[in-house]
Amino acid sequence: GRPSSLEIFGDRYPTDDVTNITPAILAKLPLRLHTRPAHPLNTLRTLIESHFPEFTPLSSLSPLVTPFKNFDELSFPPDHPGRAVTDSYYVNKNLMLRTHTSAHEVEVFRRGADKWLLTADVYRRDEIDGSHYPIFHQMEGAKIFTADAAGMRAVEEDNARLRALLGRANIEIEDVPHVSATNPAQATHDPVYAELVAQNLKLSLNGLMLTLFGGAGASSEAPLRVRWIEAYFPFTTPSFEVEVFFRGKWLEILGSGVVRQATLDTANVSNKIGWAFGLGLERIAMILYSIPDIRLFWSTDERFLSQFTDEKITTFQPYSKYPSCFKDVSFWTAQDIALHENDFCDVVRDVAGDLVEDVQKIDSFVHPKTSRTSLCYRINYRSMDRSLSNEEANEIQAQVVDRLRQQFGVEIR
Ligand code: PHE
């Protein structure tokens, strides 16, 4: 069964029936890859921080937050799916691992910061493949202005400065209206203010996209293509996503929007209006460095780590790929114990660590007479650092099977 308490950063926390943090996750909490010298995530963080030199950088906030702070304070509805124990990691009912850096918006605004960048590890339960990992890193950026005529003059000046910078750049932007019927300004906002702030958001982030993806930017090259798309987040409106066309594909880069006034009110800065964005560092680093598997960020192998230096993005030179070892497991689920796909994946991750590359559900059916559910999963075991023997994979697989039996009462077929 579960332990009666969990020790995290030297403190003990009681567990309860929602506790679902595994030892594999606990072991990674202190690692903070985004602050490791020469690590790609650290280099990408500093690159973005240098692009916004006047923003306050923050990167040491604890991942432990209340569900209130992660969700309620940001206007998430009570029934939002992100709150489910199948989707998020809980220490207990009152404490969880942040699922996004937006969880810190209120506290940072409350401290009085009006332009800031916050980088942190975030946690989400998910499937297993080359681009998903239950821990990843986000950067949140925000800028707020005084919501009066003088404040809006400051926005206009900033917009003019940013426009001048972009005017000379080789960039092609597909825009959407700053405000529309489907992406409305807030009732409490002067619509002119909301438009100016949304414009400032777009100009600021178009500049960042140029820094990250503009490459040499020589005028003979094809322009960088950036497209803005209407989006929805509970804590911003209007809201936008940004996509960039890079190496032949449209890539989703970030979410953003005009910060909901409720957030600023809670932070005691109701006289302000501003924008925020959140981006995933791994996704961008994988593209820029050509890193093919998200597990590599966690590698301690010198063949990985020695390739990188601070301040410069280079192309990852893959060392040989070791062979895959596929193992299937088929079973009947217990009638009375739910087994979510994310539960299955957490069992595999906890037993196999980073030796698991991919998990696929290859069969699922309900027996017509007994109405029992049968599932079959195919697990791809592969080490990134060495050749895994079939015996070793069999041993791991046997442990996975054991845990499925004990924790979820499954019956192996
Ligand atoms: N927190 C959002 C996410 O993780 C991203 C976001 C940040 C959106 C800030 C809008 C403003 O998807």
Side-chain angles (χ1 to χ4, degrees), residues 9 32 77 81 145 167 174 247 274 286 303 307 348 364 369 390 398:
F9 301 126
R32 302 168 37 74
F145 304 87
E174 239 176 83
R247 299 198 185 130
M286 285 175 82
R303 285 170 297 178
Q307 292 196 22
V348 179
S364 160
K369 289 213 180 96
N390 191 47

Side-chain angles (χ1 to χ4, degrees), residues 255-275:
S256 64
V258 176
V259 177
R260 256 194 208 281
Q261 211 53 36
T263 307
L264 298 174
D265 292 345
T266 312
N268 275 322
V269 289
S270 11
N271 60 327
K272 303 278 181 172
I273 179 170
W275 51 257

Side-chain angles (χ1 to χ4, degrees), residues 297-338:
F297 292 106
W298 300 89
S299 173
T300 53
D301 192 309
E302 276 308 306
R303 285 170 297 178
F304 179 76
L305 291 175
S306 68
Q307 292 196 22
F308 307 105
T309 56
D310 281 319
E311 279 149 35
K312 202 160 148 236
I313 294 183
T314 50
T315 302
F316 172 63
Q317 303 300 325
Y319 35 95
S320 68
K321 225 177 169 189
Y322 297 92
S324 277
C325 194
F326 291 95
K327 300 283 168 192
D328 293 355
V329 55
S330 305
F331 52 87
W332 296 104
T333 61
Q335 306 280 47
D336 51 342
I337 309 175

Side-chain angles (χ1 to χ4, degrees), residues 99-102 105 124 138 140 233 235-236 255-257 276-278:
T99 64
H100 57 168
T101 42
S102 304
E105 279 192 9
R124 291 184 199 175
Q138 283 189 328
E140 190 94 356
F233 302 101
F235 44 96
T236 51
S256 64
F277 71 84

Side-chain angles (χ1 to χ4, degrees), residues 13-269:
Y13 299 90
T15 58
D16 63 21
D17 55 351
V18 303
T19 305
N20 61 1
I21 303 188
T22 60
I25 296 292
L26 279 179
K28 291 201 158 70
L29 287 183
L31 297 185
R32 302 168 37 74
L33 299 180
H34 58 290
T35 62
R36 304 222 149 179
H39 194 280
L41 298 177
N42 183 60
T43 302
L44 181 55
R45 171 179 66 82
T46 32
L47 177 66
I48 301 174
E49 287 173 355
S50 333
H51 178 83
F52 290 115
E54 70 281 18
F55 285 52
T56 307
L58 300 160
S59 52
S60 53
L61 281 86
S62 166
L64 294 172
V65 296
T66 58
F68 185 81
K69 189 163 153 163
N70 196 81
F71 297 119
D72 303 81
E73 218 173 43
L74 291 165
S75 314
F76 278 80
D79 60 348
H80 191 274
R83 297 179 188 257
V85 288
T86 50
D87 287 27
S88 297
Y89 287 105
Y90 286 85
V91 177
N92 55 44
K93 285 190 184 66
N94 304 316
L95 201 64
M96 67 184 302
L97 298 175
R98 67 183 155 225
T99 64
H100 57 168
T101 42
S102 304
H104 299 290
E105 279 192 9
V106 167
E107 88 185 274
V108 178
F109 286 133
R110 190 182 278 140
R111 292 186 195 179
D114 56 6
K115 326 179 231 345
W116 50 268
L117 295 169
L118 184 152
T119 310
D121 38 324
V122 301
Y123 298 77
R124 291 184 199 175
R125 302 187 71 198
D126 218 326
E127 58 209 83
I128 299 182
D129 65 33
S131 60
H132 288 87
Y133 203 81
I135 315 177
F136 59 102
H137 297 76
Q138 283 189 328
M139 181 186 271
E140 190 94 356
K143 187 169 185 179
I144 53 175
F145 304 87
T146 309
D148 61 13
M152 291 307 108
R153 272 196 301 279
V155 178
E156 276 176 311
E157 271 165 35
D158 202 37
N159 287 354
R161 174 185 68 93
L162 293 164
R163 227 180 256 117
L165 286 174
L166 285 167
R168 277 174 258 131
N170 193 17
I171 185 170
E172 192 180 289
I173 298 154
E174 239 176 83
D175 207 354
V176 285
H178 306 330
V179 171
S180 73
T182 46
N183 202 16
Q186 295 164 48
T188 56
H189 283 166
D190 181 324
V192 176
Y193 290 15
E195 292 243 356
L196 283 171
V197 168
Q199 174 89 81
N200 189 259
L201 160 69
K202 289 177 178 175
L203 289 165
S204 304
L205 292 176
N206 285 336
L208 176 64
M209 293 308 108
L210 261 178
T211 294
L212 293 178
F213 300 101
S219 53
S220 61
E221 284 178 30
L224 173 67
R225 293 169 68 191
V226 173
R227 85 181 165 201
W228 287 80
I229 297 168
E230 276 186 15
Y232 178 80
F233 302 101
F235 44 96
T236 51
T237 189
S239 303
F240 310 94
E241 265 159 18
V242 174
E243 293 186 351
V244 162
F245 195 74
F246 194 69
R247 299 198 185 130
K249 272 193 234 155
W250 283 104
L251 309 164
E252 225 182 276
I253 303 296
L254 59 83
S256 64
V258 176
V259 177
R260 256 194 208 281
Q261 211 53 36
T263 307
L264 298 174
D265 292 345
T266 312
N268 275 322
V269 289

